Amino acid sequence: MMMREHVPIASLSTLRVGGLARYVFDIESAEQVTMAFTFAREHQLPWRVLGEGSNILADDAGFPGVLLHMILRGIQKEESGETVLVSARAGENWDSLVRYAAENELWGIENLAGIPGTVGASPVQNIGAYGMEVKDTIHSVTVYDAHLGEVQDFSNAECRFGYRESRFKQEPYQIILGVTFKLQRNGTPRTMYADLERAVEQGVTLDTPAQIGAAVREIRSRKFPDLTRYGTAGSFFKNPVISEDAYRELKGLYPELAGYPAREGVKVPLAFILDKVLGLRGYRVDNVALFEMQPLVLVAYDGATAIEIDAFAKEIAEKVFDVTGIKIEREVRTFP
Ligand code: NAP
């Protein structure tokens, strides 16, 4: 295990902002988690966990404690008839796991191709895309419970998954060490989302997990900024769920507004509201902008600070509220 001092969090975050972390422990095994905790306790320092930093807005002031940088790698599979249990360690790159599943012709996570971040982060917000959520294939999650000081397994039901939700959001002391997925030898392509339907119409064959994964990556590469070129954390805001009355009213004004039934009302694409209702596609203030190709995504240019991004995001939320009455929420989490 490597312990580093005074590390810019900007170098560990895809938004590329954030001040210095006092200590960073690059964690490669469950035992090293315990060692990092012992160190934090002995020095009476706070601690936080970080994967690939693809969903955080890190404070310019940095973090005066111990940062557990989860880089544990490894994927294993265990066959059992039509089902295959695939276990991946927390620091494994999410899309590498999707590719592994595709290479082994396993179904269940192919629509989640190209989502940035680690396997360990995937259950936290129950990542989902194109009609598929990771909770549908998670068999169990192995954690180090920092309160109890022991490793335990949670079954799918014990993870309390919801839409972009899980117990891990409320219980950050459950440090995810690995996830076991229940994948299928046989499956049916799920192509009900407009982007994938369009691909089919254009003649793209979507018969296997590998073909679907490749198509999803291609779609995403058009919509989401290249992480190697810009600071970004993907979708910065969540797509809002509004009441049926509010939806009818907005739809009256903007007939092209899509709407999808959700538990507490109607889910609407925020990108449409930002673009067509507010005319904010590509809107930029100094070093921060809404991405031209997908306004739900925020882009941080060189020199951007967390304060600047925070102010920009607040301004966008106010504009949405002033014009539509919708209170939008951030998907990106403030760090620490
Ligand atoms: P999109 O496909 O334009 O969809 C915008 C919104 O409409 C999403 O909230 C989506 O719901 C909903 N929607 C679209 N078609 C639907 C259908 N056939 N049935 C039910 N709901 C439908 O969104 P996008 O921004 O380009 O993103 C593409 C996909 O990646 C979406 O599924 C999005 O949620 C997902 N994504 C996920 C994360 C994450 O897990 N953190 C981050 C970025 C994007 P859903 O949100 O339920 O799909």
Side-chain angles (χ1 to χ4, degrees):
M1 174 177 61
M2 207 163 71
M3 191 262 269
R4 299 181 276 156
E5 296 188 59
H6 307 293
V7 180
I9 303 176
S11 68
L12 302 172
S13 154
T14 61
L15 257 174
R16 301 187 194 166
V17 299
L20 300 179
R22 180 65 186 86
Y23 298 98
V24 172
F25 283 75
D26 294 306
I27 305 283
E28 290 171 282
S29 70
E31 296 70 43
Q32 292 176 357
V33 173
T34 324
M35 287 158 70
F37 270 103
T38 307
F39 180 90
R41 206 171 30 246
E42 281 172 358
H43 293 78
Q44 296 187 332
L45 290 169
W47 57 268
R48 290 288 182 281
V49 175
L50 194 64
E52 288 177 12
S54 57
N55 202 35
I56 60 158
L57 173 58
D59 200 317
D60 297 321
F63 176 56
V66 176
L67 205 156
L68 281 74
H69 183 217
M70 306 299 276
I71 57 167
L72 312 79
R73 301 254 153 72
I75 304 178
Q76 284 179 342
K77 69 176 162 63
E78 189 189 316
E79 310 272 343
S80 80
E82 283 303 291
T83 299
V84 179
L85 288 179
V86 174
S87 299
R89 294 168 94 202
E92 196 64 57
N93 171 264
W94 171 258
D95 198 42
S96 303
L97 178 70
V98 176
R99 286 177 196 276
Y100 172 93
E103 279 157 19
N104 287 278
E105 294 173 33
L106 297 172
W107 294 81
I109 52 176
E110 59 282 356
N111 288 27
L112 308 180
I115 295 182
T118 57
V119 166
S122 67
V124 178
Q125 62 154 328
N126 178 23
I127 57 168
Y130 304 108
M132 197 174 261
E133 285 180 282
V134 75
K135 75 171 172 56
D136 298 333
T137 48
I138 286 182
H139 172 266
S140 56
V141 176
T142 304
V143 302
Y144 173 81
D145 182 323
H147 283 176
L148 299 175
E150 59 187 45
V151 173
Q152 38 178 327
D153 281 323
F154 289 127
S155 68
N156 183 302
E158 286 171 327
C159 294
R160 300 199 297 270
F161 288 120
Y163 180 71
R164 306 283 186 268
E165 275 300 336
S166 74
R167 71 182 296 163
F168 307 112
K169 273 199 178 170
Q170 275 74 52
E171 300 173 359
Y173 55 89
Q174 307 285 10
I175 298 166
I176 297 172
L177 299 174
V179 183
T180 299
F181 302 85
K182 199 173 180 178
L183 303 182
Q184 308 293 330
R185 280 251 162 258
N186 293 302
T188 318
R190 288 209 225 157
T191 54
M192 64 287 218
Y193 267 50
D195 283 341
L196 286 171
E197 273 176 355
R198 254 193 303 275
V200 173
E201 279 160 21
Q202 286 162 4
V204 180
T205 309
L206 297 180
D207 289 342
T208 65
Q211 288 167 344
I212 295 168
V216 168
R217 277 183 209 99
E218 202 276 320
I219 292 164
R220 292 186 66 101
S221 71
R222 279 187 267 128
K223 285 189 156 186
F224 291 90
D226 180 354
L227 290 177
T228 61
R229 288 185 59 197
Y230 307 97
T232 177
S235 300
F236 196 88
F237 300 102
K238 295 180 187 173
N239 285 304
V241 174
I242 62 176
S243 72
E244 292 193 9
D245 286 347
Y247 177 68
R248 259 192 301 275
E249 205 173 308
L250 263 181
K251 179 99 176 152
L253 294 170
Y254 303 96
E256 283 169 45
L257 176 68
Y260 305 94
R263 223 169 5 142
E264 292 111 15
V266 182
K267 190 161 40 169
V268 290
L270 183 58
F272 179 92
I273 293 171
L274 294 171
D275 180 11
K276 300 286 191 289
V277 179
L278 294 162
L280 290 176
R281 180 182 282 266
Y283 177 64
R284 179 170 178 169
V285 178
D286 298 329
N287 298 315
V288 192
L290 295 181
F291 188 52
E292 192 70 40
M293 305 303 290
Q294 163 55 298
L296 194 54
V297 173
L298 205 143
V299 182
Y301 293 97
D302 282 349
T305 62
I307 287 187
E308 220 181 328
I309 294 171
D310 186 61
F312 181 85
K314 280 190 180 127
E315 184 190 331
I316 298 297
E318 276 165 21
K319 284 185 195 292
V320 172
F321 183 73
D322 289 348
V323 176
T324 66
I326 300 173
K327 283 188 182 156
I328 56 169
E329 288 172 27
R330 294 181 188 188
E331 184 174 292
V332 168
R333 301 167 84 189
T334 304
F335 186 91

